[in-house]
Amino acid sequence: MKADTEILDEVVVVAYGTATKKSFTGSATEIKGEKISLKNPTELSKALSGEVAGVQVMSTSGQPGSNASIRIRGLGSAYSSRAPLYVVDGIPFEADLSGIDPSDIASMTVLKDATATALYGSRAANGVVLITTKKGEKGKTHVEAEIKYGANMRLIPQYDVIDSPERFTELTWEGLKNYAGNRGGMDATQSAAWASKNLFQAQYGIAPIYNMWNADGAQLIDPATGRFNSGVARKYTPEKWDDYIFRTGQKLDASVKISGGNEKLTHYTAFSYLKDEGYYISSDYQRFNVRNNMSNQITPWLKATTSLAYAYMETNKPGQSDSNMNNGFQFINGMPSLFPVFERDEDGNIVKDTKIGGNKFDYGMNAGYQRPFASGINPAGALLLDKDEIVSHQFNGNGSFEAKFLKYFKITANVGLQYLGSAENELTNPYYGDSAGKGQIAKYQTNYLNFTANQILSWGQSFDKHNFDAFVAHESTSSKTSVAYGSKSKIVRPDNTEWSNGVIMDYLESYTYGYSIESYFGQLRYDYDNKYFLHGTVRADGSSRFAKGNKWGIFGSVGAAWAITNEDFMKDVKWLKNLKYKLSWGVLGNQDFITNPVVAGYYPYEDLYTIDNLNDEFTFSFKFKGNPNLTWERSTTINTGIEFNIADVLEGEVEYFHKKTTDMLFMKQVAPSLGYASYPVNDGALVNKGVEFSLTAHLLNKKDYKFDFRLNGGYYKNEMTQMPIDETTGTEKPIEISTYYGWAKGHSLYDFYIREYAGVDPETGFALYNQYYNVKANGERELITDMETYKSKNTINKLEVEQTSDWDKATKKFVDKSGIPALQGGFGFDLYAKGITLNATFSYGIGGYGYDYNYAAIMHSGTSGSYNWHKDIEGRWQKPGDITNIPSLSNDYGGGADGTNYANASSTRFLTSRSFLNLANVRIGYSLPKSIVAKLHLSDLNFFISGDNLLYWSARKGYVSMASSGNSDNVNDDNKNDSGESGRSQYAPLSTIMGGIKIQF
């Protein structure tokens, strides 16, 4: 453990420079590269899980190479980006984070409040993550080689579904029996007979080809018990789908680093290779990295530095996106256990594939029948025949010159260039599935180029106990993205992704978009006698995203800190090693509008059209309504807190923040009769506030034995304080619906606005929902179907509630449940004992609710064979008088108008606690004693075993609230990752176990 004075004098990376920990007035947390190296992340942002108070890490996908979604201090906007700004070696970074090798990182600093981030102006409203790569140091050349090998798997539990074909068939029979009684008016005996007769008849039941038993469908079930008759035997046992969709993937990570230097020149060079296979078959990621960082002290007053990095990446990710019907994840939960992976003949024998050889996969189009679930689809087969491969080249180059003059002055010129070129090839096979009979090749080419240059004139000088430093600067940023895509079909070779392999041109499109920012900014820092610290910043940004007259925004901050333990009156308080109070205020901006189409976010002041072909003449179709009056979204933030160290045993910090976002970038909904459904405005206000804490207890601190325990957490509250104006009334809109949520004054962005589930009708077995009535003064009752809209137009005299089986007539309302967890954070420990290290980090969330879409789907009452069931279905209603919360099985017949089935309609029934606990990482390592290492002519030799995401607990097995709902094709869907919803294409995080060796000499 470091001494207290050493910790306080430690230099941390901050915006456009460095600062000592004791002098910093803002809110920032630094994670050293040594901490990152304890984990096994392929991508940097996942290493932050559980490490920093105020940082939430949401896994967007288990696909190797995918980036996590990061939130710093909750949700600060509705329609604009909530993602932080990343800065690599001093230059804002907008390329692919997964192209950076985590082992090249010296530190990551998370900047949270306005004082820490305001120098980045319009791009810092959601916080900043500073990434500093390793540099060479003066001294002998140092060589480090590391190799890690292990496995990726899914250890996070899956939903507990019906896995017995017999039990699934019995439940299907019961659904048919109830259907006959409810809709056909049959008595119990007639209903049972009808269900048996139609169980394996395609019109009402399941296609007879899927009868896997040695008896006719009508003879399978005992109508008295609803169970299989004795003596019925299987002709075959269906394969388990997860055996053909999931696997144990391999992971290999190897690197060599060479660094060193002298008084004039320091260097760092690194090479690394990664092969990372996901547990989803055919999903993998390969990356080759090379990095070179150099610093040259040309003269005593002139220094030059360069940082050059290249990454080559290959990604394979077939059958994952929401739009892909061959998505295998939905099959794991949804495919009834009755249906086999391979096609069977009438005797139950596997059919051989005469087209491609081997066993024939069952695509649900067998013997003239269609499988009720996903007819025409088989991801187990498609994963072997289809392709979705991406090849990317990424270059990141930074360079700088630093010149000192007149003793106290310094001028620095920095340039940064980022390039990312990606070529994606999608092949859909010509044999089965979506493109049977023709095949299709789709290509997507994306080229991204970003150039940033800044010039900084700085000054620093001390006058007795008065210490000053300041700078003024200019920065220009230009970014351009070019996209080209197209498709050809009727392919010749089934595995060739070149367009020359196709005959028919389906479509061909391209477009280019970009932005530029011009900035002027400055900073002044002052401290008196290392006791009182002041910090002020100002920045002016001009953005191409806004029309003339609205381009420029002025942002800035002021901060102060008081090092209380440096006061003379504290010198006798020996047990209090550090006590600092800090306070800051600032204004930040946001220009990153999330729109559909993506291009509109770069030109939101313009009306956009698409060009179409009509009889070989061009036509224009309206696409997006722009607003030339649009300008910056602004966030005003107050931050205050204390930092402390008690007897070198307990150290930490506690902070409170209050952030108000005004002039929000908002897509205002309007009447479709205008020719568009919404248009961008600056309107509405949102408050995000909370408390964060970070604690470290040094419980044991001996020469050969050390033990630290750490804990961090954050509580957040999110509230709309002003809604956009409704142009038809001239007043604030009462509510705006966003899927399951209602945006309204006094509510958060994730307050659920849905129908209330009221259980099951004991007589009918139908699901019940609450409907509210306004009882007027004259006794008249008026049905309310939308509570907030009704309240905005009417006075509530008296509310009465009753139940209805018609979901469509139930009342949508706020249900006093939010999707935002009450507390999020992490904890862990670090143990050292005579060369052995044991480190563990947990991440956790407490409170909040998510809509468990996957659970809702497997608690259905749909048609025979259409979807699997969760084992909770065993608690369903079965006869009049049953008291339960689970509706009857009714073959898609329900209590709505004309028998509409609302058994699993969206309601509070499927709101599930987001509370979770995840063992994010555990690592045990051993370093050989120095005496042995020296004999081997090495400086260190370390062996280790490490695991990520090894244990996960949640409110329901299979529900993963720390992961996004699925893999979207829309790059602008990042904000959807905050909800905690489950989804049909959810690729849960990888669980990884690796062993390795690190050699240094």
Side-chain angles (χ1 to χ4, degrees):
M1 184 183 70
K2 295 181 180 180
D4 175 60
T5 54
E6 186 179 348
I7 292 174
L8 293 178
D9 289 333
E10 183 178 342
V11 175
V12 294
V13 178
V14 296
Y16 296 97
T18 60
T20 60
K21 186 174 178 63
K22 69 179 178 181
S23 67
F24 190 56
T25 63
S27 179
T29 301
E30 184 181 57
I31 302 174
K32 293 293 188 182
E34 292 81 0
K35 190 70 176 177
I36 297 171
S37 68
L38 298 179
K39 302 185 179 183
N40 302 306
T42 296
E43 186 275 319
L44 277 175
S45 59
K46 293 174 182 175
L48 293 174
S49 179
E51 298 290 351
V52 181
V55 174
Q56 296 83 49
V57 179
M58 292 290 290
S59 173
T60 57
S61 172
Q63 165 66 39
S66 62
N67 297 314
S69 180
I70 300 295
R71 299 291 178 263
I72 297 176
R73 290 188 163 178
L75 314 173
S77 189
Y79 280 101
S80 54
S81 173
R82 301 168 189 163
L85 171 69
Y86 294 93
V87 177
V88 178
D89 290 334
I91 300 295
F93 184 85
E94 296 180 2
D96 189 351
L97 277 178
S98 65
I100 300 175
D101 182 1
S103 69
D104 284 335
I105 302 306
S107 68
M108 294 176 69
T109 304
V110 179
L111 308 181
K112 307 175 190 178
D113 74 328
T115 296
T117 64
L119 279 174
Y120 293 106
S122 62
R123 291 183 284 181
N126 301 306
V128 179
V129 179
L130 303 180
I131 300 170
T132 304
T133 59
K134 292 178 179 177
K135 308 294 191 294
E137 297 180 355
K138 292 182 290 186
K140 63 172 289 188
T141 298
H142 178 80
V143 179
E144 175 187 298
E146 182 178 28
I147 185 167
K148 298 185 285 185
Y149 179 78
N152 292 322
M153 62 210 79
R154 174 161 180 161
L155 295 181
I156 292 177
Q158 298 185 56
Y159 289 92
D160 201 4
V161 296
I162 299 293
D163 54 9
S164 162
E166 285 79 8
R167 188 61 186 138
F168 179 83
T169 304
E170 291 165 353
L171 293 169
T172 301
W173 179 88
E174 181 181 321
L176 288 168
K177 175 177 176 290
N178 291 337
Y179 174 85
N182 291 330
R183 187 162 190 172
M186 302 179 190
D187 61 25
T189 302
Q190 293 171 325
S191 297
W194 187 89
S196 295
K197 176 183 177 181
N198 288 280
L199 181 58
F200 278 97
Q201 294 295 324
Q203 182 177 0
Y204 292 103
I206 300 171
I209 193 65
Y210 292 111
N211 182 355
M212 52 174 279
W213 295 276
N214 62 356
D216 184 75
Q219 307 303 317
L220 294 177
I221 305 298
D222 181 350
T225 63
R227 296 284 184 164
F228 261 68
N229 285 310
S230 59
V232 175
R234 295 180 179 183
K235 290 186 289 186
Y236 64 91
T237 296
E239 299 80 16
K240 293 183 177 180
W241 283 84
D242 54 1
D243 289 341
Y244 293 86
I245 295 177
F246 289 170
R247 66 178 176 187
T248 297
Q250 301 182 69
K251 184 172 184 178
L252 171 67
D253 193 353
S255 64
V256 175
K257 309 180 192 307
I258 305 168
S259 63
N262 53 37
E263 297 293 333
K264 292 286 188 180
L265 180 70
T266 60
H267 62 88
Y268 171 89
T269 303
F271 302 90
S272 63
Y273 172 75
L274 171 74
K275 171 69 173 179
D276 198 2
E277 296 178 341
Y279 63 78
Y280 188 68
I281 288 178
S282 295
S283 74
D284 60 57
Y285 178 75
Q286 289 190 79
R287 183 182 67 213
F288 172 73
N289 290 88
V290 58
R291 176 176 292 276
N292 179 262
N293 293 342
M294 295 187 68
S295 177
N296 188 352
Q297 191 70 51
I298 301 171
T299 69
W301 57 269
L302 180 63
K303 183 171 75 172
T305 62
T306 59
S307 177
L308 306 176
Y310 168 77
Y312 172 81
M313 298 168 280
E314 290 185 2
T315 303
N316 288 293
K317 58 179 189 68
Q320 294 184 32
S321 71
D322 271 337
S323 61
N324 192 322
M325 293 307 297
N326 274 311
N327 189 303
F329 296 102
Q330 66 171 335
F331 275 66
I332 297 299
N333 297 316
M335 174 61 81
S337 54
L338 174 68
F339 300 122
V341 174
F342 297 107
E343 189 174 309
R344 296 312 211 280
D345 61 22
E346 292 183 354
D347 297 323
N349 301 310
I350 294 178
V351 175
K352 296 300 180 180
D353 195 318
T354 58
K355 294 181 180 179
I356 61 175
N359 295 334
K360 186 177 182 180
F361 288 92
D362 186 357
Y363 280 82
M365 307 289 286
N366 191 357
Y369 296 104
Q370 293 189 2
R371 184 179 60 210
F373 179 90
S375 175
I377 305 298
N378 188 314
L383 285 172
L384 304 180
L385 299 174
D386 294 350
K387 295 183 179 182
D388 188 350
E389 54 191 24
I390 304 172
V391 175
S392 301
H393 299 269
Q394 179 166 289
F395 173 77
N396 183 32
N398 298 342
S400 73
F401 280 96
E402 176 188 291
K404 296 180 179 179
F405 62 99
L406 299 179
K407 189 175 182 179
Y408 302 111
F409 290 87
K410 180 175 68 175
I411 187 167
T412 306
N414 299 287
V415 294
L417 176 69
Q418 297 158 37
Y419 169 77
L420 174 61
S422 297
E424 180 174 5
N425 297 317
E426 286 190 58
L427 183 147
T428 308
N429 78 86
Y431 300 116
Y432 305 105
D434 298 349
S435 295
K438 59 175 184 176
Q440 186 179 48
I441 301 167
K443 288 179 173 286
Y444 306 85
Q445 177 73 49
T446 304
N447 287 291
Y448 166 80
L449 183 66
N450 181 288
F451 179 79
T452 299
N454 61 51
Q455 307 82 39
I456 304 172
L457 174 62
S458 57
W459 162 78
Q461 194 169 355
S462 296
F463 304 92
D464 193 20
K465 296 181 179 181
H466 302 274
N467 305 298
F468 296 87
D469 69 79
F471 71 74
V472 292
H474 165 261
E475 185 172 82
S476 297
T477 298
S478 177
S479 173
K480 184 173 76 171
T481 302
S482 298
V483 179
Y485 60 97
S487 171
K488 291 185 77 173
S489 57
K490 198 67 177 179
I491 66 176
V492 178
R493 297 181 60 183
D495 59 350
N496 188 316
T497 60
E498 296 301 330
W499 268 345
S500 58
N501 187 42
V503 176
I504 302 171
M505 176 57 73
D506 301 317
Y507 57 86
L508 185 64
E509 300 287 345
S510 68
Y511 57 90
T512 299
Y513 60 91
Y515 73 92
S516 59
I517 299 178
E518 197 77 11
S519 306
Y520 300 89
F521 53 100
Q523 171 182 273
L524 173 64
R525 294 187 296 196
Y526 165 78
D527 82 77
Y528 174 75
D529 198 21
N530 286 326
K531 297 177 183 178
Y532 314 108
F533 305 90
L534 295 175
H535 183 191
T537 65
V538 64
R539 178 164 176 143
D541 281 341
S543 173
S544 66
R545 297 196 193 210
F546 303 119
K548 186 177 180 180
N550 294 314
K551 291 183 179 295
W552 287 91
I554 307 296
F555 314 102
S557 70
V558 292
W562 177 25
I564 301 173
T565 41
N566 284 1
E567 295 286 359
D568 291 340
F569 62 79
M570 294 292 295
K571 63 183 180 181
D572 294 327
V573 187
K574 303 297 184 183
W575 58 269
L576 189 59
K577 304 297 183 179
N578 177 43
L579 180 62
K580 184 175 82 172
Y581 173 74
K582 55 189 177 182
L583 174 67
S584 66
W585 171 92
V587 178
L588 303 171
N590 198 339
Q591 57 158 354
D592 198 357
F593 210 165
I594 293 181
T595 59
N596 186 17
V598 174
V599 174
Y602 292 81
Y603 313 97
Y605 57 91
E606 296 273 17
D607 291 347
L608 300 183
Y609 298 81
T610 57
I611 302 174
D612 299 307
N613 183 329
L614 180 62
N615 299 323
D616 291 336
E617 294 291 338
F618 53 78
T619 62
F620 297 93
S621 299
F622 188 78
K623 187 68 175 179
F624 180 85
K625 179 63 179 175
N627 180 2
N629 296 317
L630 200 68
T631 187
W632 300 90
E633 179 177 279
R634 302 175 71 85
S635 299
T636 303
T637 301
I638 297 174
N639 187 86
T640 186
I642 60 169
E643 300 174 9
F644 60 88
N645 182 330
I646 301 174
D648 286 336
V649 174
L650 178 64
E651 61 177 313
E653 53 188 298
V654 179
E655 297 186 16
Y656 167 81
F657 73 92
H658 183 284
K659 176 180 179 180
K660 184 173 183 179
T661 304
T662 57
D663 293 331
M664 287 201 302
L665 295 172
F666 211 94
M667 291 302 297
K668 180 183 287 189
Q669 298 174 2
V670 295
S673 59
L674 294 175
Y676 47 91
S678 61
Y679 75 102
V681 297
N682 290 106
D683 207 347
L686 177 72
V687 167
N688 200 56
K689 57 186 176 182
V691 176
E692 297 170 354
F693 62 88
S694 180
L695 305 170
T696 300
H698 307 290
L699 302 178
L700 183 63
N701 187 25
K702 304 295 184 181
K703 178 182 178 182
D704 294 324
Y705 301 93
K706 301 178 187 294
F707 182 72
D708 289 351
F709 179 81
R710 42 196 162 76
L711 170 67
N712 69 73
Y715 161 81
Y716 311 101
K717 185 176 181 181
N718 180 263
E719 181 182 347
M720 290 283 294
T721 57
Q722 178 186 328
M723 286 292 290
I725 298 299
D726 186 336
E727 294 181 354
T728 61
T729 64
T731 61
E732 292 183 32
K733 295 187 68 173
I735 192 167
E736 188 158 316
I737 303 300
S738 176
T739 62
Y740 305 117
Y741 315 99
W743 294 353
K745 188 173 182 177
H747 292 272
S748 80
L749 294 176
Y750 286 98
D751 277 7
F752 285 96
Y753 192 79
I754 53 177
R755 294 166 173 86
E756 293 175 328
Y757 186 63
V760 174
D761 187 327
E763 296 305 313
T764 66
F766 294 149
L768 295 175
Y769 303 90
N770 284 338
Q771 57 182 183
Y772 287 80
Y773 290 85
N774 180 20
V775 183
K776 298 182 178 181
N778 61 5
E780 178 188 354
R781 297 203 325 158
E782 190 169 42
L783 176 64
I784 304 171
T785 57
D786 186 320
M787 183 66 76
E788 293 302 310
T789 301
Y790 183 89
K791 286 164 60 177
S792 70
K793 300 175 182 179
N794 302 275
T795 300
I796 300 290
N797 181 60
K798 179 183 177 182
L799 280 178
E800 287 186 355
V801 60
E802 60 183 43
Q803 285 71 50
T804 178
S805 59
D806 192 340
W807 174 89
D808 197 46
K809 295 180 180 178
T811 305
K812 287 193 298 183
K813 63 185 292 290
F814 284 112
V815 295
D816 296 326
K817 289 185 177 180
S818 171
I820 301 175
L823 186 66
Q824 300 175 80
F827 63 90
F829 62 84
D830 304 291
L831 172 66
Y832 171 81
K834 287 188 174 293
I836 298 174
T837 57
L838 177 62
N839 313 90
T841 298
F842 292 81
S843 59
Y844 69 87
I846 300 174
Y849 292 85
Y851 192 86
D852 195 348
Y853 170 87
N854 288 339
Y855 182 68
I858 50 182
M859 290 298 289
H860 69 100
S861 186
T863 54
S864 301
S866 62
Y867 222 80
N868 201 2
W869 282 293
H870 193 280
K871 288 183 178 178
D872 285 353
I873 207 70
E874 299 290 3
R876 70 203 175 280
W877 182 97
Q878 298 181 63
K879 62 184 184 303
D882 282 352
I883 304 300
T884 177
N885 281 323
I886 302 174
S888 66
L889 300 176
S890 59
N891 203 51
D892 207 28
Y893 185 84
D898 299 323
T900 305
N901 174 30
Y902 292 127
N904 63 336
S906 60
S907 71
T908 53
R909 178 185 177 192
F910 301 111
L911 299 187
T912 304
S913 171
R914 291 187 65 178
S915 297
F916 75 91
L917 177 62
N918 179 46
L919 177 54
N921 172 261
V922 62
R923 183 184 190 273
I924 184 169
Y926 176 67
S927 291
L928 289 180
K930 294 295 183 183
S931 57
I932 298 177
V933 171
K935 293 179 181 179
L936 299 173
H937 303 288
L938 303 175
S939 58
D940 191 25
L941 180 58
N942 180 260
F943 304 89
F944 58 88
I945 298 176
S946 179
D948 295 344
N949 301 319
L950 299 186
L951 296 171
Y952 183 81
W953 295 271
S954 63
R956 176 179 296 115
K957 285 177 60 178
Y959 175 56
V960 188
S961 65
M962 68 173 190
S964 69
S965 59
N967 297 289
S968 172
D969 294 319
N970 190 343
V971 297
N972 269 351
D973 277 351
D974 182 60
N975 281 9
K976 294 183 179 180
N977 297 324
D978 300 317
S979 67
E981 299 171 17
S982 63
R984 60 180 287 274
S985 61
Q986 186 179 60
Y987 194 157
L990 300 175
S991 296
T992 304
I993 300 175
M994 300 189 77
I997 181 172
K998 181 187 286 187
I999 303 171
Q1000 298 181 44
F1001 56 90

